[in-house]
mmCIF file of all heavy atoms in Angstrom:
data_model
loop_
_atom_site.group_PDB
_atom_site.id
_atom_site.type_symbol
_atom_site.label_atom_id
_atom_site.label_comp_id
_atom_site.label_asym_id
_atom_site.label_seq_id
_atom_site.Cartn_x
_atom_site.Cartn_y
_atom_site.Cartn_z
ATOM 1 N N PHE A 53 9.682 25.991 3.543
ATOM 2 C CA PHE A 53 8.913 27.118 3.031
ATOM 3 C C PHE A 53 7.898 26.652 1.980
ATOM 4 O O PHE A 53 6.733 27.039 2.009
ATOM 5 C CB PHE A 53 9.861 28.171 2.438
ATOM 6 C CG PHE A 53 9.175 29.433 2.004
ATOM 7 C CD1 PHE A 53 8.694 30.333 2.945
ATOM 8 C CD2 PHE A 53 9.026 29.735 0.668
ATOM 9 C CE1 PHE A 53 8.060 31.505 2.555
ATOM 10 C CE2 PHE A 53 8.397 30.899 0.265
ATOM 11 C CZ PHE A 53 7.913 31.792 1.214
ATOM 12 N N LYS A 54 8.326 25.775 1.088
ATOM 13 C CA LYS A 54 7.424 25.242 0.055
ATOM 14 C C LYS A 54 6.299 24.425 0.687
ATOM 15 O O LYS A 54 5.146 24.505 0.252
ATOM 16 C CB LYS A 54 8.201 24.381 -0.936
ATOM 17 C CG LYS A 54 9.083 25.188 -1.858
ATOM 18 C CD LYS A 54 9.882 24.285 -2.771
ATOM 19 C CE LYS A 54 10.814 25.083 -3.657
ATOM 20 N NZ LYS A 54 11.643 24.222 -4.504
ATOM 21 N N GLU A 55 6.632 23.643 1.706
ATOM 22 C CA GLU A 55 5.639 22.831 2.407
ATOM 23 C C GLU A 55 4.602 23.735 3.083
ATOM 24 O O GLU A 55 3.398 23.475 3.028
ATOM 25 C CB GLU A 55 6.349 21.953 3.434
ATOM 26 C CG GLU A 55 5.438 20.993 4.163
ATOM 27 C CD GLU A 55 6.183 20.152 5.185
ATOM 28 O OE1 GLU A 55 7.038 20.694 5.918
ATOM 29 O OE2 GLU A 55 5.870 18.954 5.265
ATOM 30 N N ILE A 56 5.071 24.817 3.698
ATOM 31 C CA ILE A 56 4.190 25.781 4.361
ATOM 32 C C ILE A 56 3.267 26.444 3.342
ATOM 33 O O ILE A 56 2.060 26.570 3.566
ATOM 34 C CB ILE A 56 5.031 26.834 5.118
ATOM 35 C CG1 ILE A 56 5.755 26.186 6.297
ATOM 36 C CG2 ILE A 56 4.171 28.003 5.581
ATOM 37 C CD1 ILE A 56 6.945 26.987 6.799
ATOM 38 N N GLN A 57 3.824 26.840 2.214
ATOM 39 C CA GLN A 57 3.016 27.470 1.160
ATOM 40 C C GLN A 57 1.938 26.520 0.640
ATOM 41 O O GLN A 57 0.792 26.921 0.433
ATOM 42 C CB GLN A 57 3.904 27.905 -0.008
ATOM 43 C CG GLN A 57 4.706 29.142 0.256
ATOM 44 C CD GLN A 57 5.501 29.557 -0.959
ATOM 45 O OE1 GLN A 57 6.241 28.765 -1.537
ATOM 46 N NE2 GLN A 57 5.346 30.803 -1.353
ATOM 47 N N GLU A 58 2.310 25.266 0.423
ATOM 48 C CA GLU A 58 1.359 24.271 -0.076
ATOM 49 C C GLU A 58 0.226 24.051 0.927
ATOM 50 O O GLU A 58 -0.953 24.015 0.562
ATOM 51 C CB GLU A 58 2.092 22.956 -0.342
ATOM 52 C CG GLU A 58 1.204 21.867 -0.902
ATOM 53 C CD GLU A 58 1.960 20.568 -1.148
ATOM 54 O OE1 GLU A 58 3.164 20.614 -1.477
ATOM 55 O OE2 GLU A 58 1.339 19.502 -0.994
ATOM 56 N N ALA A 59 0.592 23.922 2.198
ATOM 57 C CA ALA A 59 -0.415 23.710 3.241
ATOM 58 C C ALA A 59 -1.376 24.892 3.309
ATOM 59 O O ALA A 59 -2.596 24.707 3.381
ATOM 60 C CB ALA A 59 0.264 23.505 4.599
ATOM 61 N N TYR A 60 -0.832 26.092 3.266
ATOM 62 C CA TYR A 60 -1.684 27.281 3.353
ATOM 63 C C TYR A 60 -2.576 27.419 2.118
ATOM 64 O O TYR A 60 -3.748 27.779 2.224
ATOM 65 C CB TYR A 60 -0.838 28.543 3.546
ATOM 66 C CG TYR A 60 -1.687 29.776 3.722
ATOM 67 C CD1 TYR A 60 -2.447 29.952 4.873
ATOM 68 C CD2 TYR A 60 -1.742 30.749 2.741
ATOM 69 C CE1 TYR A 60 -3.247 31.071 5.039
ATOM 70 C CE2 TYR A 60 -2.531 31.876 2.899
ATOM 71 C CZ TYR A 60 -3.280 32.042 4.046
ATOM 72 O OH TYR A 60 -4.072 33.146 4.197
ATOM 73 N N ALA A 61 -2.046 27.090 0.952
ATOM 74 C CA ALA A 61 -2.831 27.180 -0.286
ATOM 75 C C ALA A 61 -4.073 26.295 -0.213
ATOM 76 O O ALA A 61 -5.151 26.679 -0.674
ATOM 77 C CB ALA A 61 -1.973 26.792 -1.489
ATOM 78 N N VAL A 62 -3.932 25.125 0.384
ATOM 79 C CA VAL A 62 -5.069 24.203 0.492
ATOM 80 C C VAL A 62 -6.013 24.639 1.615
ATOM 81 O O VAL A 62 -7.217 24.758 1.414
ATOM 82 C CB VAL A 62 -4.591 22.752 0.728
ATOM 83 C CG1 VAL A 62 -5.765 21.834 1.070
ATOM 84 C CG2 VAL A 62 -3.853 22.237 -0.501
ATOM 85 N N LEU A 63 -5.463 24.898 2.792
ATOM 86 C CA LEU A 63 -6.320 25.183 3.953
ATOM 87 C C LEU A 63 -6.982 26.556 3.905
ATOM 88 O O LEU A 63 -8.016 26.763 4.544
ATOM 89 C CB LEU A 63 -5.518 25.028 5.246
ATOM 90 C CG LEU A 63 -4.965 23.627 5.511
ATOM 91 C CD1 LEU A 63 -4.223 23.590 6.839
ATOM 92 C CD2 LEU A 63 -6.067 22.582 5.492
ATOM 93 N N SER A 64 -6.430 27.486 3.148
ATOM 94 C CA SER A 64 -7.027 28.820 3.082
ATOM 95 C C SER A 64 -8.151 28.898 2.049
ATOM 96 O O SER A 64 -8.881 29.869 1.988
ATOM 97 C CB SER A 64 -5.959 29.876 2.766
ATOM 98 O OG SER A 64 -5.412 29.670 1.474
ATOM 99 N N ASP A 65 -8.308 27.859 1.251
ATOM 100 C CA ASP A 65 -9.379 27.782 0.254
ATOM 101 C C ASP A 65 -10.454 26.852 0.812
ATOM 102 O O ASP A 65 -10.212 25.661 1.020
ATOM 103 C CB ASP A 65 -8.815 27.226 -1.054
ATOM 104 C CG ASP A 65 -9.855 27.098 -2.154
ATOM 105 O OD1 ASP A 65 -10.816 26.311 -1.980
ATOM 106 O OD2 ASP A 65 -9.705 27.765 -3.185
ATOM 107 N N ALA A 66 -11.633 27.405 1.073
ATOM 108 C CA ALA A 66 -12.697 26.647 1.749
ATOM 109 C C ALA A 66 -13.025 25.333 1.043
ATOM 110 O O ALA A 66 -13.202 24.301 1.689
ATOM 111 C CB ALA A 66 -13.950 27.505 1.881
ATOM 112 N N GLU A 67 -13.097 25.354 -0.280
ATOM 113 C CA GLU A 67 -13.447 24.147 -1.032
ATOM 114 C C GLU A 67 -12.333 23.102 -0.943
ATOM 115 O O GLU A 67 -12.583 21.915 -0.700
ATOM 116 C CB GLU A 67 -13.708 24.513 -2.499
ATOM 117 C CG GLU A 67 -14.421 23.435 -3.274
ATOM 118 C CD GLU A 67 -14.832 23.920 -4.646
ATOM 119 O OE1 GLU A 67 -15.428 24.998 -4.760
ATOM 120 O OE2 GLU A 67 -14.531 23.193 -5.613
ATOM 121 N N LYS A 68 -11.085 23.541 -1.136
ATOM 122 C CA LYS A 68 -9.948 22.620 -1.053
ATOM 123 C C LYS A 68 -9.794 22.072 0.363
ATOM 124 O O LYS A 68 -9.467 20.900 0.548
ATOM 125 C CB LYS A 68 -8.654 23.324 -1.465
ATOM 126 C CG LYS A 68 -8.570 23.640 -2.939
ATOM 127 C CD LYS A 68 -7.278 24.366 -3.243
ATOM 128 C CE LYS A 68 -7.217 24.807 -4.690
ATOM 129 N NZ LYS A 68 -5.990 25.587 -4.956
#
Side-chain angles (χ1 to χ4, degrees):
F53 186 73
K54 288 177 183 177
E55 184 181 43
I56 292 160
Q57 284 183 307
E58 182 180 328
Y60 183 69
V62 171
L63 298 182
S64 65
D65 180 297
E67 195 172 311
K68 290 178 185 177

